[in-house]
Amino acid sequence: MQFEWTADDKRFREELARFLDETLPADWDELSKEGPGSDAQAEFSKVFCRRLAERGWLTPHWPSAYGGRDATPWQHAVLSEEMWSRGEPRGPQYMNVNWIGPTIMEFGSDEQKALHLPAISEGRVLWCQGFSEPEAGSDLVALRTAAERDGDDYVINGTKIWTSYANHADYCFLLARTEPESKRHKGISVLLVPMNTPGIELREIPSVVGHRYFHEVFFTDARVPASCRLGPENEGWAVVSHALQYERVGAPRYARAARTLDRLADYARENGTLDDPTIQEKLGHARTMCEAARLLSYKVIDQRAKGLPPSADTNVARVAGTTVDRAVGELALEICGENALADGSFADANFRMSMTAGVAVGATEIQLNLIASRILRLPKE
Amino acid sequence: MDFDTSEEQQAVLDAVGVLLDRHAGPKRAIQLARELANEDANEDSNEGAHEDTYDHALDRALAEGGFNDIARSMSSLEAALVTEAVAKAGGRCAFATAALVAANLGDDPNDPHDSHGPIEGPIAIALRSEDGPVRFAAHAKHLLVISNAGNANSAGNNGNAHLIALEPGVIEPVSSNFGYPMGLVPNAMRRGGRALTQENARIIDWWRLALAAEATGTMQSALDVTVEYLSRRRQFGRTIGSFQAVQHRLAECFVQIEAARWLTYECAAQGAPREGAATVAAHALAAAARVFTETHQLSGAIGFTHEHDLHVWSMRLHALRTELGGVAGHRRAIAHSRWMGPQR
Ligand SMILES: Cc1cc2nc3c(=O)[nH]c(=O)nc-3n(C[C@H](O)[C@H](O)[C@H](O)COP(=O)(O)OP(=O)(O)OC[C@H]3O[C@@H](n4cnc5c(N)ncnc54)[C@H](O)[C@@H]3O)c2cc1C
């Protein structure tokens, strides 16, 4: 057991931090307020990710066969922490490099790899994730979107919802039922669908989180060639499970929370409230949550670095990560007081980003269910 | 980074495990505690009966096994691992203070500049400003007194710790429901002694870490007995542990405990840095309150009885929480060292 970063990892973090200092524009704070799905940030991500790619830092954790540098999961963690703590300048592209690319590597045909992997590793493509449906949220396998085989094509009908970045995306990583009467985990396939396919329509769902945050995506007789299918027909659940392993700890929410907390302390100091013991206690409490989530995430990364199969420790890390994200979001409102209330204020922007933490990417209750059964081994009944 | 125990660490844990199987465990803790109750019931009890409420056999076995010195022979990480194991087994002796605080006093017998040799245990630790019962004080050979003036403050030297040699019997045992043998140490008895080379603030770092390591092992056992019980106990025709409302609360406790554990290990491996030590104490002792409430609530009436093991660990959690100013103080200490230090 030891808790030291290697010299290489430390150097990598320093280089990244310096690069971010130099590369992020002066108005980055303003620009990043609307979150990774905003028009401005999606556009910026294309410029920024290309620059990261030039240095080999967009996909360092990818194998060298796919243009990566075989970086360790620890270096991937460093990368994610540095990006998240700066408001994720990769915008939606963190998904591409974290799990879409690696899943295509694992299951893709040569053509799919040739088409998608360079585009992702060069930072010039945006993706969205078409999993959730109006009737399939936490219980994802209740999904009904159908992709019916018609010769060499699939014809897609159905509705996806909550699809982040759908408005900017070039492709959708889509789950659909390719076996008409199938139930639950069976009969699902993954399709890599170009978003400009005729028959795809979007509706923005206005929300308190921000503009263009949520979308509904309607598929009406949308026809794609069968070559869009990733992995074997009707066995897409294995593909999704693989993808989700990568997704789950992808976002180090604690890193952003820790950065926000430091800025809240600055704010309190400037406003003369840092001497208030109650404020100190609140800041200190939030800091313990950041550190708790950091170490619990590291435990998962350690397992990944050792090539172990995913475990319920991932769920533990996620509960801690969402807890701190929300707690710091709320503390920002409290510390900034009235100044929090105007749209786009520091506290408002943080709160918007944090308030969905317990729901996105699998709600907290589902994580707790898994901890109860897989770690505590509590009875099912 | 490596989150697996090394072979050497595993060997240490196996060795202490053998020892704890023999000298600790809930049965023994309950029996030792009962000695005190018997003594209370019997006014005429002879002097020294209270000796039995302290686990001298365990204390001796740990010392003879070299575990008290493991911070020096190996590192403070191993000391934290063993401290957690002793707490998890419900050990009734002052191991944490010996292994994580005293062993880090800088009294290296091989260091010619050192002013004091090894300190004979058991050692109790207390704040100068307080006035009440102190864990293990009635059985201790030494009392380590820490001044917490400016405790939260990270800056500068805030004076040195003092060590008071205790004659047998000077500290009166006091009956306590909070799971440890205690001695009443009035404020006047916390004066004097000889000054140590180590400043108060530095000892407080180690004390915080020691509390977190103890809390971690103690919480884990409290949760374990509760999970075990709820996996058996049936009501409404099903096991109570199968109700989701119950499962979620236990799972939340687990997340808190697991975080306390890794924060403790990291902090120990890093030598109890100021902010890290305050962080782990603040986290672990806040978690302790939650674990107490949830394990008792979910265990129902049996959980409050001496016939069920939960109390062996649960009650101790609140004793740990009272030490060193409690959670609020630990949290303020984080703020002081992270955001209000001299570098700002
Ligand atoms: C910001 C954000 C971005 C998102 N982006 C995407 C995206 O890009 N692509 C995509 O496909 N989806 C996306 N989602 C959807 C997300 O995956 C779902 O919101 C999530 O899986 C939960 O589903 P739901 O919202 O339908 O909630 P529901 O499943 O309806 O759950 C409502 C509540 O009930 C609880 N609950 C449900 N089942 C159980 C149970 N068995 N036991 C106990 N409690 C239960 C839940 O925990 C939750 O608290 C996004 C969501 C958010 C908030």
Side-chain angles (χ1 to χ4, degrees), chain A residues 94-95 99 128-140 160-166 173 209 213-214 247-248 253 352-353 355-367 369, chain B residues 244 248:
Chain A
Y94 72 91
M95 296 202 312
W99 63 268
C128 63
Q129 178 200 56
F131 287 10
S132 306
E133 295 182 7
E135 302 304 324
S138 299
D139 188 16
L140 183 54
K160 293 291 169 179
I161 197 168
W162 314 126
T163 325
S164 310
Y165 325 125
F173 192 102
V209 184
Y213 223 90
F214 294 124
E247 188 195 21
R248 287 272 149 82
R253 292 177 176 278
R352 289 167 187 259
M353 298 279 278
M355 66 198 230
T356 61
V359 175
V361 202
T364 305
E365 288 72 18
I366 309 305
Q367 315 299 322
N369 287 347
Chain B
Q244 194 186 50
H248 281 193

Side-chain angles (χ1 to χ4, degrees), chain B residues 321-340:
Chain B
R321 280 169 54 79
T322 62
E323 276 182 35
L324 241 181
V327 171
H330 303 311
R331 287 180 180 164
R332 287 196 300 274
I334 299 170
H336 277 267
S337 60
R338 183 169 185 82
W339 297 297
M340 305 169 77

Side-chain angles (χ1 to χ4, degrees), chain A residues 196-331:
Chain A
N196 60 8
T197 305
I200 300 181
E201 276 173 295
L202 296 189
R203 176 177 83 88
E204 190 199 338
I205 307 177
S207 78
V208 292
V209 184
H211 302 299
R212 311 252 182 130
Y213 223 90
F214 294 124
H215 302 85
E216 211 166 355
V217 185
F218 303 98
F219 294 84
T220 314
D221 293 330
R223 184 175 283 269
V224 296
S227 61
C228 286
R229 195 188 65 237
L230 183 67
E233 188 168 55
N234 298 333
E235 282 165 38
W237 191 250
V239 182
V240 188
S241 306
H242 183 88
L244 289 179
Q245 290 165 32
Y246 285 95
E247 188 195 21
R248 287 272 149 82
V249 275
R253 292 177 176 278
Y254 60 85
R256 192 186 62 218
R259 178 105 167 176
T260 301
L261 206 53
D262 287 341
R263 295 174 74 171
L264 285 175
D266 289 342
Y267 180 95
R269 188 181 308 104
E270 283 153 22
N271 288 277
T273 53
L274 191 56
D275 291 327
D276 177 345
T278 321
I279 296 288
Q280 292 168 12
E281 281 162 33
K282 287 180 175 173
L283 288 167
H285 182 199
R287 177 73 194 165
T288 64
M289 293 191 238
C290 294
E291 289 290 273
R294 178 179 63 82
L295 276 165
L296 294 175
S297 298
Y298 286 3
K299 189 178 183 209
V300 175
I301 293 160
D302 182 55
Q303 291 167 358
R304 190 173 292 169
K306 289 171 179 157
L308 299 170
S311 74
D313 287 323
T314 311
N315 310 107
V316 176
R318 274 193 38 85
V319 171
T322 55
T323 306
V324 63
D325 203 359
R326 285 188 296 199
V328 170
E330 282 167 19
L331 186 59

Side-chain angles (χ1 to χ4, degrees), chain A residues 7-317:
Chain A
D8 273 356
D9 294 348
K10 283 188 204 156
R11 201 173 323 115
F12 182 46
R13 189 186 293 280
E14 281 163 19
E15 285 173 3
L16 268 174
R18 208 171 317 124
F19 171 79
L20 288 167
D21 287 341
E22 287 163 6
T23 311
L24 294 181
D27 62 349
W28 169 246
D29 278 351
E30 207 45 47
L31 195 114
S32 63
K33 266 176 186 164
E34 291 282 343
S38 68
D39 293 351
Q41 213 171 324
E43 271 317 301
F44 178 74
S45 85
K46 291 193 176 163
V47 180
F48 179 80
C49 287
R50 210 161 296 153
R51 296 191 64 178
L52 267 184
E54 282 161 14
R55 296 182 173 238
W57 289 346
L58 186 59
T59 54
H61 53 291
W62 284 18
S64 46
Y66 298 107
R69 302 199 313 195
D70 294 310
T72 64
W74 287 110
Q75 282 168 352
H76 186 202
V78 169
L79 179 69
S80 303
E81 284 186 353
E82 292 304 308
M83 294 299 158
W84 267 73
S85 72
R86 306 287 184 115
E88 193 47 277
R90 294 175 300 181
Q93 293 198 48
Y94 72 91
M95 296 202 312
N96 306 0
V97 299
N98 281 358
W99 63 268
I100 294 177
T103 308
I104 293 174
M105 281 173 218
E106 183 76 20
F107 295 97
S109 65
D110 289 343
E111 284 146 61
Q112 286 169 333
K113 290 177 188 174
L115 173 65
H116 294 300
L117 296 180
I120 292 178
S121 68
E122 287 161 23
R124 52 185 164 82
V125 63
L126 297 179
W127 283 76
C128 63
Q129 178 200 56
F131 287 10
S132 306
E133 295 182 7
E135 302 304 324
S138 299
D139 188 16
L140 183 54
V141 293
L143 68 89
R144 293 200 299 222
T145 294
E148 207 178 317
R149 192 69 183 251
D150 181 22
D152 285 340
D153 293 339
Y154 286 108
V155 180
I156 309 168
N157 280 288
T159 305
K160 293 291 169 179
I161 197 168
W162 314 126
T163 325
S164 310
Y165 325 125
N167 50 332
H168 300 293
D170 305 297
Y171 287 92
C172 178
F173 192 102
L174 182 79
L175 293 191
R177 238 169 240 294
T178 37
E179 193 183 314
E181 295 301 305
S182 64
K183 290 261 154 27
R184 312 295 295 166
H185 304 80
K186 302 215 175 82
I188 295 171
S189 299
V190 174
L191 300 176
L192 308 177
V193 177
M195 286 298 281
N196 60 8
T197 305
I200 300 181
E201 276 173 295
L202 296 189
R203 176 177 83 88
E204 190 199 338
I205 307 177
S207 78
V208 292
V209 184
H211 302 299
R212 311 252 182 130
Y213 223 90
F214 294 124
H215 302 85
E216 211 166 355
V217 185
F218 303 98
F219 294 84
T220 314
D221 293 330
R223 184 175 283 269
V224 296
S227 61
C228 286
R229 195 188 65 237
L230 183 67
E233 188 168 55
N234 298 333
E235 282 165 38
W237 191 250
V239 182
V240 188
S241 306
H242 183 88
L244 289 179
Q245 290 165 32
Y246 285 95
E247 188 195 21
R248 287 272 149 82
V249 275
R253 292 177 176 278
Y254 60 85
R256 192 186 62 218
R259 178 105 167 176
T260 301
L261 206 53
D262 287 341
R263 295 174 74 171
L264 285 175
D266 289 342
Y267 180 95
R269 188 181 308 104
E270 283 153 22
N271 288 277
T273 53
L274 191 56
D275 291 327
D276 177 345
T278 321
I279 296 288
Q280 292 168 12
E281 281 162 33
K282 287 180 175 173
L283 288 167
H285 182 199
R287 177 73 194 165
T288 64
M289 293 191 238
C290 294
E291 289 290 273
R294 178 179 63 82
L295 276 165
L296 294 175
S297 298
Y298 286 3
K299 189 178 183 209
V300 175
I301 293 160
D302 182 55
Q303 291 167 358
R304 190 173 292 169
K306 289 171 179 157
L308 299 170
S311 74
D313 287 323
T314 311
N315 310 107
V316 176

